[in-house]
Amino acid sequence: MITQMRVKGLIFDPYNNAYIVVLRDEDNSDMLPIWVGKSEASAIGLALESVTAPRPMTHDLMKSFLDTFDAKIISVVITDLNDNTYFATIHLMYEDSEYTVDSRPSDAIALALRTSAPIFASEKVIKKQSSEELEQWLENLKPEDFGKLDT
């Protein structure tokens, strides 16, 4: 089973010097924080802000390829969590065939945002991420640690 998620924003984690993409389900009952690097956060942030870079970034180039060949991204799925590493797949349609491509979640999310494709997370991933660890981490944050976060 999978749950549709939405990108609610980006947070900077000063303890790990990394960014976190915050995914939430439509009911706001499940949250999935995915740690990403600075360049990945930048790509996601530009898409969230609807900012077009002066020259195409990698995800813009990927979208251009898909558009040129009339391929369409059907969805992005966060499929697994193993040793604190998330895994994802991109599902796309080309002609009459569906293809699944392995991806880092940050790349999949950046591409989904550029193509307005839905983002899903498997129930297994949602259950695996430890809510106790997340709650403890959130308790240690100060308001100034937060970047832009859609509520």
Side-chain angles (χ1 to χ4, degrees):
M1 180 149 166
I2 58 175
T3 301
Q4 186 163 0
M5 308 295 277
R6 300 222 186 277
V7 177
K8 290 306 226 176
L10 289 168
I11 299 174
F12 180 70
D13 178 1
Y15 303 106
N16 293 312
N17 199 29
Y19 291 84
I20 303 167
V21 178
V22 179
L23 301 179
R24 301 257 356 208
D25 68 345
E26 292 179 348
D27 299 332
N28 286 325
S29 59
D30 290 316
M31 180 169 69
L32 200 58
I34 300 177
W35 275 253
V36 300
K38 184 177 180 177
S39 60
E40 292 84 358
S42 176
I44 291 168
L46 288 173
L48 286 173
E49 300 282 332
S50 299
V51 173
T52 303
R55 297 292 301 145
M57 293 181 66
T58 304
H59 304 97
D60 301 316
L61 176 64
M62 292 169 65
K63 181 184 179 308
S64 292
F65 268 104
L66 293 169
D67 291 346
T68 298
F69 293 103
D70 290 325
K72 180 181 179 192
I73 295 188
I74 301 167
S75 65
V76 162
V77 181
I78 311 302
T79 57
D80 201 4
L81 171 60
N82 194 0
D83 293 327
N84 295 319
T85 300
Y86 287 92
F87 296 82
T89 53
I90 299 171
H91 299 264
L92 57 100
M93 181 68 74
Y94 175 66
E95 294 181 342
D96 293 332
S97 299
E98 184 178 334
Y99 298 91
T100 302
V101 179
D102 183 36
S103 175
R104 296 184 310 172
S106 56
D107 292 330
I109 291 167
L111 196 53
L113 290 171
R114 284 167 171 75
T115 61
S116 301
I119 300 168
F120 296 95
S122 73
E123 189 174 318
K124 164 176 78 171
V125 171
I126 293 171
K127 285 182 180 177
K128 272 188 179 181
Q129 77 89 18
S130 172
S131 61
E132 283 183 21
E133 287 178 17
L134 178 61
E135 286 177 22
Q136 184 179 14
W137 178 82
L138 288 172
E139 285 177 10
N140 291 327
L141 285 178
K142 299 181 239 35
E144 57 270 17
D145 293 335
F146 286 83
K148 282 196 169 187
L149 182 64
D150 181 20
T151 54

